[in-house]
Amino acid sequence: MPDYEVEAARYDSTRGGEPRARAAAAAIERLLPPGPVLDVAVGTGIVAAAVDRPVVGVDLSIAMLGNAVRRLPGRVAQADARRLPARSGSVAAVTAIWLLHLMPDSEAVVREVARVLRPGGVFVCTVDKRAAHRLAEGNPAMPGARDERARVQALGARYGLAVCGEGSFVGHGQEYEPVFPLLAFTKL
């Protein structure tokens, strides 16, 4: 996994910058209900700032949050995606973009998102990042994919989340412009 304390300074410029962020935000918007959003692994805040609604972001990396705080002043906090600082059943919408593929235990994240979502709430996440980047199994750039669509759907079902939509966006500004799939779940 990349060291985001080091990567933070150049993260946006090496990953498509504003064009990719705007494309991601537009695709996410189509899947979210009206109202505020909790963005898990907000990173530099570049995508969250492009979403046209109030977003509160959490991230484990202090360096990434240092960038996010400039884009989302007063609306970021340090938190582990496996232990979100929200009451059970209190959140209407959660996003996790480019997170599950990094987690050695993506199940813990899906379980925690399901805990904080209220009934009828929506969770939007990226899936199949390895396929989007055309990376071969075992590639050291992305070991042990934990965001495969079927796996994430099964985890969602295990924790009371049902697929309610899907979308995708192009990674504009990247070397070959990968297409990133999104899944949306609703809390039953």
Side-chain angles (χ1 to χ4, degrees):
M1 178 172 5
D3 181 346
Y4 288 105
E5 299 307 315
V6 173
E7 285 285 310
R10 61 191 189 120
Y11 185 87
D12 294 339
S13 65
T14 61
R15 288 168 176 84
E18 294 289 335
R20 183 176 86 154
R22 284 190 302 273
I28 293 163
E29 285 273 351
R30 289 189 285 275
L31 298 168
L32 289 172
V37 176
L38 171 61
D39 187 9
V40 179
V42 70
T44 66
I46 193 168
V47 174
V51 171
D52 190 25
R53 64 188 72 218
V55 177
V56 172
V58 296
D59 204 290
L60 195 55
S61 167
I62 292 293
M64 294 293 263
L65 287 170
N67 292 316
V69 75
R70 289 189 286 280
R71 291 183 168 117
L72 305 166
R75 295 184 285 143
V76 298
Q78 185 181 27
D80 187 316
R82 298 164 295 183
R83 289 182 293 284
L84 296 171
R87 291 184 325 275
S88 296
S90 66
V91 180
V94 177
T95 57
I97 309 306
W98 302 301
L99 170 64
L100 297 179
H101 71 283
L102 296 171
M103 301 300 295
D105 183 11
S106 57
E107 181 172 359
V109 176
V110 174
R111 180 177 52 240
E112 183 65 355
V113 167
R115 180 190 70 79
V116 303
L117 270 179
R118 69 179 187 206
V122 174
F123 172 43
V124 177
C125 63
T126 46
V127 294
D128 293 332
K129 188 165 185 207
R130 180 190 311 275
H133 278 289
R134 303 180 197 128
L135 294 176
E137 188 65 38
N139 184 309
M142 200 172 299
R146 302 283 185 231
D147 71 334
E148 293 165 330
R149 178 183 303 261
R151 174 180 167 60
V152 175
Q153 282 182 255
L155 289 174
R158 183 177 301 160
Y159 296 104
L161 303 174
V163 173
C164 64
E166 58 184 270
S168 65
F169 60 94
V170 175
H172 297 294
Q174 295 187 276
E175 186 178 330
Y176 58 87
E177 299 195 338
V179 175
F180 296 104
L182 293 167
L183 275 184
F185 296 87
T186 190
K187 173 85 177 268
L188 303 174

Coordinates of all heavy atoms in Angstrom, one line a residue, residues 45-80:
G45 N -9.4 15.5 -0.5 CA -10.6 16.2 -0.5 C -11.0 16.7 -1.9 O -12.0 17.4 -2.1
I46 N -10.2 16.3 -2.9 CA -10.4 16.9 -4.3 C -11.8 16.4 -4.9 O -12.4 17.2 -5.5 CB -9.2 16.5 -5.2 CG1 -9.3 17.3 -6.5 CG2 -9.1 15.0 -5.4 CD1 -8.0 17.3 -7.3
V47 N -12.1 15.1 -4.6 CA -13.4 14.7 -5.1 C -14.6 15.2 -4.3 O -15.5 15.7 -4.8 CB -13.5 13.1 -5.2 CG1 -14.9 12.6 -5.5 CG2 -12.4 12.6 -6.1
A48 N -14.4 15.2 -3.0 CA -15.5 15.6 -2.1 C -15.8 17.1 -2.3 O -17.0 17.5 -2.3 CB -15.1 15.5 -0.6
A49 N -14.8 17.9 -2.6 CA -15.0 19.3 -2.9 C -15.8 19.6 -4.2 O -16.4 20.6 -4.4 CB -13.7 20.1 -2.9
A50 N -15.7 18.6 -5.1 CA -16.4 18.7 -6.4 C -17.9 18.2 -6.3 O -18.6 18.4 -7.2 CB -15.6 18.0 -7.5
V51 N -18.2 17.6 -5.2 CA -19.6 17.1 -5.0 C -20.4 18.3 -4.6 O -20.1 19.1 -3.8 CB -19.7 16.0 -4.0 CG1 -21.1 15.6 -3.6 CG2 -18.9 14.7 -4.5
D52 N -21.6 18.4 -5.3 CA -22.5 19.6 -5.1 C -23.5 19.4 -3.9 O -24.7 19.4 -4.1 CB -23.2 19.9 -6.3 CG -23.9 21.2 -6.3 OD1 -23.5 22.1 -5.5 OD2 -24.9 21.4 -7.0
R53 N -22.9 19.2 -2.7 CA -23.7 19.0 -1.5 C -22.7 19.0 -0.3 O -21.5 18.9 -0.5 CB -24.5 17.8 -1.5 CG -23.7 16.5 -1.5 CD -24.5 15.2 -1.7 NE -25.0 15.2 -3.1 CZ -26.2 14.7 -3.4 NH1 -27.0 14.3 -2.5 NH2 -26.5 14.7 -4.7
P54 N -23.2 19.2 0.9 CA -22.3 19.2 2.0 C -21.6 17.8 2.2 O -22.3 16.8 2.2 CB -23.2 19.5 3.2 CG -24.4 20.1 2.7 CD -24.6 19.5 1.3
V55 N -20.3 17.8 2.4 CA -19.6 16.6 2.6 C -18.7 16.8 3.8 O -18.0 17.8 4.0 CB -18.7 16.3 1.4 CG1 -17.9 15.0 1.6 CG2 -19.5 16.1 0.1
V56 N -18.8 15.8 4.7 CA -17.8 15.7 5.8 C -16.9 14.5 5.5 O -17.4 13.4 5.1 CB -18.6 15.4 7.1 CG1 -17.6 15.1 8.2 CG2 -19.5 16.5 7.5
G57 N -15.6 14.7 5.6 CA -14.7 13.7 5.2 C -13.8 13.2 6.4 O -13.5 14.0 7.2
V58 N -13.5 11.9 6.3 CA -12.6 11.3 7.3 C -11.5 10.5 6.6 O -11.8 10.0 5.5 CB -13.4 10.4 8.3 CG1 -14.4 11.1 9.1 CG2 -14.0 9.2 7.6
D59 N -10.4 10.5 7.2 CA -9.2 9.8 6.6 C -8.3 9.5 7.7 O -8.2 10.2 8.7 CB -8.5 10.7 5.5 CG -7.8 9.8 4.5 OD1 -6.7 9.2 4.9 OD2 -8.2 9.8 3.4
L60 N -7.5 8.4 7.5 CA -6.5 8.0 8.5 C -5.2 8.8 8.4 O -4.6 9.1 9.4 CB -6.2 6.5 8.4 CG -5.5 5.8 9.5 CD1 -6.2 6.0 10.8 CD2 -5.4 4.4 9.2
S61 N -4.9 9.3 7.2 CA -3.7 10.0 6.9 C -3.7 11.5 7.3 O -4.5 12.2 6.7 CB -3.3 9.8 5.4 OG -2.3 10.7 5.1
I62 N -2.9 11.9 8.2 CA -2.8 13.3 8.6 C -2.3 14.1 7.4 O -2.9 15.2 7.2 CB -1.8 13.5 9.8 CG1 -2.4 12.8 11.0 CG2 -1.5 14.9 10.0 CD1 -3.6 13.5 11.6
A63 N -1.4 13.7 6.6 CA -0.9 14.4 5.5 C -2.0 14.6 4.4 O -2.2 15.7 3.9 CB 0.3 13.8 4.9
M64 N -2.8 13.6 4.2 CA -3.9 13.8 3.2 C -4.9 14.8 3.8 O -5.4 15.6 3.0 CB -4.5 12.4 2.9 CG -3.6 11.4 2.2 SD -3.2 11.9 0.5 CE -4.4 10.9 -0.4
L65 N -5.2 14.6 5.0 CA -6.2 15.6 5.7 C -5.7 17.0 5.6 O -6.5 17.9 5.6 CB -6.5 15.1 7.1 CG -7.3 13.9 7.2 CD1 -7.4 13.4 8.7 CD2 -8.7 14.2 6.7
G66 N -4.3 17.2 5.6 CA -3.8 18.5 5.5 C -4.2 19.2 4.2 O -4.4 20.4 4.2
N67 N -4.3 18.4 3.2 CA -4.8 19.0 1.9 C -6.3 19.1 1.9 O -6.9 20.1 1.5 CB -4.4 18.0 0.7 CG -3.0 18.0 0.5 OD1 -2.3 19.1 0.5 ND2 -2.4 16.8 0.3
A68 N -7.0 18.1 2.5 CA -8.5 18.2 2.5 C -9.0 19.3 3.3 O -10.1 19.9 3.0 CB -9.0 16.8 3.1
V69 N -8.4 19.7 4.4 CA -8.9 20.8 5.3 C -8.9 22.1 4.5 O -9.8 22.9 4.8 CB -8.0 20.9 6.6 CG1 -6.7 21.5 6.3 CG2 -8.8 21.6 7.6
R70 N -8.1 22.3 3.5 CA -8.1 23.5 2.7 C -9.3 23.5 1.8 O -9.9 24.6 1.5 CB -6.8 23.7 1.9 CG -5.6 24.0 2.8 CD -4.4 24.4 2.0 NE -3.7 23.2 1.4 CZ -2.9 22.4 2.0 NH1 -2.7 22.5 3.3 NH2 -2.3 21.4 1.4
R71 N -9.7 22.3 1.3 CA -10.9 22.2 0.4 C -12.2 22.1 1.2 O -13.2 22.5 0.6 CB -10.7 21.0 -0.5 CG -9.6 21.2 -1.5 CD -9.5 19.9 -2.4 NE -8.6 20.2 -3.5 CZ -7.5 19.5 -3.7 NH1 -7.1 18.6 -2.9 NH2 -6.8 19.8 -4.8
L72 N -12.2 21.6 2.4 CA -13.4 21.3 3.2 C -13.2 21.9 4.6 O -13.2 21.1 5.5 CB -13.7 19.8 3.2 CG -13.8 19.1 1.9 CD1 -13.8 17.6 2.1 CD2 -15.1 19.5 1.2
P73 N -12.9 23.2 4.7 CA -12.6 23.7 6.0 C -13.7 23.4 7.1 O -14.9 23.6 6.8 CB -12.5 25.2 5.8 CG -13.1 25.5 4.5 CD -13.1 24.2 3.7
G74 N -13.2 22.9 8.2 CA -14.1 22.6 9.3 C -15.0 21.3 9.1 O -15.8 21.0 9.9
R75 N -14.7 20.6 8.0 CA -15.5 19.4 7.7 C -14.7 18.1 7.5 O -15.1 17.2 6.8 CB -16.4 19.7 6.5 CG -17.4 20.8 6.7 CD -18.3 21.0 5.5 NE -17.6 21.7 4.5 CZ -17.7 21.4 3.2 NH1 -18.5 20.5 2.8 NH2 -17.0 22.1 2.3
V76 N -13.5 18.0 8.1 CA -12.7 16.8 8.0 C -12.2 16.4 9.4 O -12.1 17.2 10.3 CB -11.5 17.0 7.1 CG1 -11.9 17.3 5.6 CG2 -10.5 18.0 7.6
A77 N -12.0 15.1 9.5 CA -11.5 14.6 10.8 C -10.7 13.3 10.5 O -10.9 12.7 9.5 CB -12.6 14.2 11.7
Q78 N -9.8 13.0 11.4 CA -9.0 11.8 11.3 C -9.8 10.7 11.9 O -10.4 10.8 13.0 CB -7.7 11.9 12.1 CG -6.8 10.7 11.8 CD -5.5 10.7 12.6 OE1 -5.4 11.3 13.6 NE2 -4.5 10.0 12.0
A79 N -10.0 9.6 11.2 CA -10.7 8.4 11.6 C -10.3 7.2 10.8 O -10.0 7.3 9.6 CB -12.2 8.7 11.5
D80 N -10.4 6.1 11.4 CA -10.2 4.8 10.7 C -11.5 4.4 10.1 O -12.6 4.4 10.7 CB -9.8 3.8 11.8 CG -9.3 2.5 11.2 OD1 -10.0 1.9 10.3 OD2 -8.3 1.9 11.7

